[in-house]
Amino acid sequence: MSDRLEVLRELMAAELSPASSQIAISQALEESHPSDLAFALSELDPEVASRYFSLLNNERAAEVLAELEEDTQRELISSLPVRRVANLLDELQPDDAADIYQQLPSSLRSGVLEGVEEKRAQQIRLLGAYEEESAGGIMTPQFVAVTAKETVASTLEAIRAINDLETDRVYIVDSDGRLLGVTSIQELLHQEQRRTPISTWMDSSVVSVHEDDDQEEVLRIASMYGLTTVPVVDDDERLVGIVTADDLDFVAEAEASEDMYRMAGTLAKNPTRASVPSRIFARLPMLLFTVVVGLSISWIVTALTPSDNGAPRNHPLRYLPIIIALAGNVAAVANAIVVRGLATGELEHGRLTGAFLGEFAVACGVGVIASVLTWLGITTLEADAIVLANSVSASLFLGTLVSASAGFATPAVFDRMGLDAALTGPFVIAMNDLAGTAVFVAVCSFALST
Amino acid sequence: MSDRLEVLRELMAAELSPASSQIAISQALEESHPSDLAFALSELDPEVASRYFSLLNNERAAEVLAELEEDTQRELISSLPVRRVANLLDELQPDDAADIYQQLPSSLRSGVLEGVEEKRAQQIRLLGAYEEESAGGIMTPQFVAVTAKETVASTLEAIRAINDLETDRVYIVDSDGRLLGVTSIQELLHQEQRRTPISTWMDSSVVSVHEDDDQEEVLRIASMYGLTTVPVVDDDERLVGIVTADDLDFVAEAEASEDMYRMAGTLAKNPTRASVPSRIFARLPMLLFTVVVGLSISWIVTALTPSDNGAPRNHPLRYLPIIIALAGNVAAVANAIVVRGLATGELEHGRLTGAFLGEFAVACGVGVIASVLTWLGITTLEADAIVLANSVSASLFLGTLVSASAGFATPAVFDRMGLDAALTGPFVIAMNDLAGTAVFVAVCSFALST
């Protein structure tokens, strides 16, 4: 951690006193880990970041670019001359190059592609034709495949020729390119019989995925068979690419996050990065459903309560569940964002305040929409219920804000204290039930008694 | 998928007609992927599984053993002679050997260790001294490290000597074994200058973790720096081991699952495998907290409701939140178990029914405890509230069972229909709010009006 912050600090110090710190700049740019540099650039002012980025040679710039989040990638690339972008695409791994090419504004694409080496341009076109979240969309066409009659010596020669191979797997194919088996570079080195064909000792129980398979299926197969590199085949069982460990890790993290966010109640894939309106929109299905269920609950209570006992059928408490449910949903999502963000490192380093303000803004939006819908629901369903509808809506809005704040702050505080943020989930929800009730009953007592 | 089921089917068929199917057995045992075979063995009757396992040669048996779940591992090993266990420990990767050794009953340990090669026995003792979930606990001491003045040629010679290296990373250390840099086997092969020292072109921005770091920290560093192999150093910065991709994947999956379960409200690490009593116990903190909060809510309602308005202070609806909250917790955990189980493959292949019965049993236990505590709470806090306490407790128990069933079944049905099971989270909770309310109001109407 200290590395990342140090790189950032040096670049910022250099920015403040440009004359004195040339050494610090070049040291930070040349010696730090590409991932630390990527972090520093993403934290700097975009203009400053792009100035530093322009100082990097192509190889290093490509390494840093591959480590950046998509939005910072886009920002940096938009500040570069077309020629530089083409050079970077040549330098990147083919799959990363294709991903970045996809992000270019369409007006630039053909110009950039003209500056790229012909082989790389073909790869980019080929990979661009796949669905983004399919095996084809995340694979790289850069792999070692030899036919079954090759020997250790000739295979090692083939490997020697390749630069930047992302895996130690060596695939064995038939004369049509159909996958037959797998071995590793180290296994090749270890073989004493350098002249026997590879087919005599390759591992022929090789598992592959189809190019159209969803990335989740690729991940499932990788985890089931303990693979760090997954071969991808086409309809004719021909090897067309490999999915490498770095992409698998990314898929695993993204899929787990997506599941957590969905389970909590938002369809946003990356809530800490998306815009507030799009995040509010991602909550609407859950919000609408909760409002309908909440209004149904009050109707059920009224319908099932016998009119002849002491308790009146129209007790305001029948609207307590809708408040608790909506506050609980808001708290659950805020909680999931912090817990997952801390676990994946997405929310490291003082990004918490910004993330909190974003989530609070989303909660305001969600609260307003839910309150208005609920108010309309109550006044439509019941006669002479304006005061009650006002009370419910006001409590709902207040409850939503309290819940979003508590749902966000509790895991952050737990984490700061060295406790597991994930433990806060059910506690936050229970506390919100309590707070929501207190707000509602207080508001009702005030509004209905005056 | 079809592979796994086919292997299982062939082994079962061979079991039913032993005379005719020797070919099928040996084919299935020799040709199928170790992971498929591990799956088949874990699904078979333990006695049958251990008979098939005894037919495997040491190398293959070790591969299969490494793929098995811990409980099946333990079962199989307990059926083996001490000598065979020692042979398997020699054959396994050192870290897997150490894990399996830890599972042996302590009466067997010294006997087994005597049969193991001296170097392996040392490794096992060394790895056994680390905390199970620390970097040291998941690392393997089998790696390639050369000093900085070695050349391509001599380093390739060192790699040639090693069997079963789990990574393509080659580490460069100083004369005291302190980590200086990293390169890869493929990079070595690619270098034209076979006689220059490695230090001239190694990557010196190498990131490592400390042997006592928690496995979550190892995962965080790996994901931050895009590492598939993480070097582990001791207090003196000396390289003592590496954490390889297979273990990192396992940690990532386990940590994400643990977070999901905790967020839903259970402390159980692997709810589908743990015993019912231990799973009930893992829910107690959340359950007690929810009961206390629920009773507090009813108290708040009573305290804040003015006695002079139309609504009586002791309306039964003030107990609705406790029922909804407990039912919601039970539904959330059942939901998390299915969503995560399907995502990780833990719940594949008709294991769903067994898992459902287990979760239902846990819900019964949780429901009984929550009902009793709530009953005691209500009768202690209020005078003449026996009928009300009965109604609340009965509704709570019924609601818990309905919620557990719905929380479990809904994502399973979604998945069967090809929809994303993770989407069901908030919908299940909302449906449970509704069902819980209906049950409670119906029970109250019946009990309080008679």
Side-chain angles (χ1 to χ4, degrees), chain A residues 36 162 186 225 262 420, chain B residues 36 162 186 224-225 262 420:
Chain A
D36 294 332
I162 302 174
Q186 201 264 331
Y225 291 100
R262 287 190 170 186
D420 182 359
Chain B
D36 293 334
I162 302 175
Q186 201 263 330
M224 197 178 273
Y225 291 100
R262 287 190 168 186
D420 182 359

Side-chain angles (χ1 to χ4, degrees), chain A residues 102-139:
Chain A
Q102 300 291 330
Q103 291 181 43
L104 293 175
S106 43
S107 59
L108 278 182
R109 288 192 184 179
S110 62
V112 166
L113 220 50
E114 276 168 27
V116 171
E117 286 170 17
E118 185 44 34
K119 188 187 161 202
R120 177 52 50 92
Q122 272 179 12
Q123 288 173 331
I124 288 175
R125 279 194 212 96
L126 185 83
L127 293 176
Y130 290 106
E131 288 287 327
E132 203 184 328
E133 299 198 345
S134 70
I138 57 172
M139 76 183 185

Side-chain angles (χ1 to χ4, degrees), chain A residues 250-304:
Chain A
F250 180 79
V251 171
E253 200 170 285
E255 294 289 340
S257 296
E258 196 179 309
D259 275 0
M260 281 197 203
Y261 297 140
R262 287 190 170 186
M263 284 166 76
T266 174
L267 300 178
K269 286 201 172 184
N270 197 342
T272 53
R273 305 264 169 190
S275 71
V276 169
S278 76
R279 285 163 65 182
I280 294 175
F281 187 78
R283 306 272 187 98
L284 288 184
M286 168 281 283
L287 185 147
L288 291 176
F289 190 74
T290 309
V291 168
V292 170
V293 169
L295 293 174
S296 309
I297 286 176
S298 75
W299 181 84
I300 289 181
V301 171
T302 311
L304 291 183

Side-chain angles (χ1 to χ4, degrees), chain A residues 158-425:
Chain A
I159 297 166
R160 241 181 265 280
I162 302 174
N163 192 16
D164 272 345
L165 191 61
E166 278 188 286
T167 175
D168 65 339
R169 301 286 100 180
V170 176
Y171 294 96
I172 296 97
V173 294
D174 68 10
S175 54
D176 290 329
R178 275 190 291 263
L179 188 59
L180 296 178
V182 63
T183 187
S184 72
I185 299 179
Q186 201 264 331
E187 184 68 26
L188 282 166
L189 288 173
H190 189 63
Q191 287 296 324
E192 310 256 311
Q193 306 284 334
R194 320 233 327 147
R195 300 286 158 204
T196 55
I198 287 189
S199 59
T200 54
W201 48 267
M202 70 184 185
D203 179 1
S204 56
S205 63
V206 57
V207 179
S208 60
V209 295
H210 186 270
E211 55 188 356
D212 293 335
D213 281 347
D214 189 84
Q215 61 179 10
E216 240 181 311
E217 173 71 5
V218 181
L219 185 66
R220 219 175 50 78
I221 293 285
S223 131
M224 196 178 274
Y225 291 100
L227 310 176
T228 49
T229 305
V230 184
V232 183
V233 300
D234 66 10
D235 286 339
D236 300 323
E237 297 286 324
R238 277 191 307 247
L239 185 62
V240 292
I242 56 171
V243 177
T244 53
D246 56 337
D247 299 305
L248 277 174
D249 292 345
F250 180 79
V251 171
E253 200 170 285
E255 294 289 340
S257 296
E258 196 179 309
D259 275 0
M260 281 197 203
Y261 297 140
R262 287 190 170 186
M263 284 166 76
T266 174
L267 300 178
K269 286 201 172 184
N270 197 342
T272 53
R273 305 264 169 190
S275 71
V276 169
S278 76
R279 285 163 65 182
I280 294 175
F281 187 78
R283 306 272 187 98
L284 288 184
M286 168 281 283
L287 185 147
L288 291 176
F289 190 74
T290 309
V291 168
V292 170
V293 169
L295 293 174
S296 309
I297 286 176
S298 75
W299 181 84
I300 289 181
V301 171
T302 311
L304 291 183
T305 305
S307 54
D308 55 0
N309 79 12
R313 296 165 61 117
N314 58 352
H315 195 286
L317 277 180
R318 71 188 182 282
Y319 286 107
L320 186 52
I322 198 173
I323 292 164
I324 289 180
L326 279 163
N329 279 155
V330 173
V333 175
N335 200 70
I337 287 172
V338 179
V339 172
R340 191 61 189 156
L342 290 170
T344 61
E346 185 101 24
L347 280 186
E348 56 181 338
H349 292 307
R351 274 196 189 137
L352 277 171
T353 312
F356 173 75
L357 293 176
E359 189 55 27
F360 195 79
V362 173
C364 285
V366 168
V368 166
I369 298 173
S371 300
V372 169
L373 289 176
T374 304
W375 193 90
L376 291 173
I378 297 176
T379 51
T380 310
L381 293 170
E382 303 195 28
D384 304 324
I386 301 288
V387 178
L388 180 63
N390 290 345
S391 306
V392 172
S393 293
S395 309
L396 208 163
F397 182 70
L398 280 174
T400 310
L401 296 193
V402 171
S403 297
S405 310
F408 199 96
T410 319
V413 170
F414 260 55
D415 186 69
R416 190 56 61 93
M417 290 163 61
L419 301 168
D420 182 359
L423 285 174
T424 57

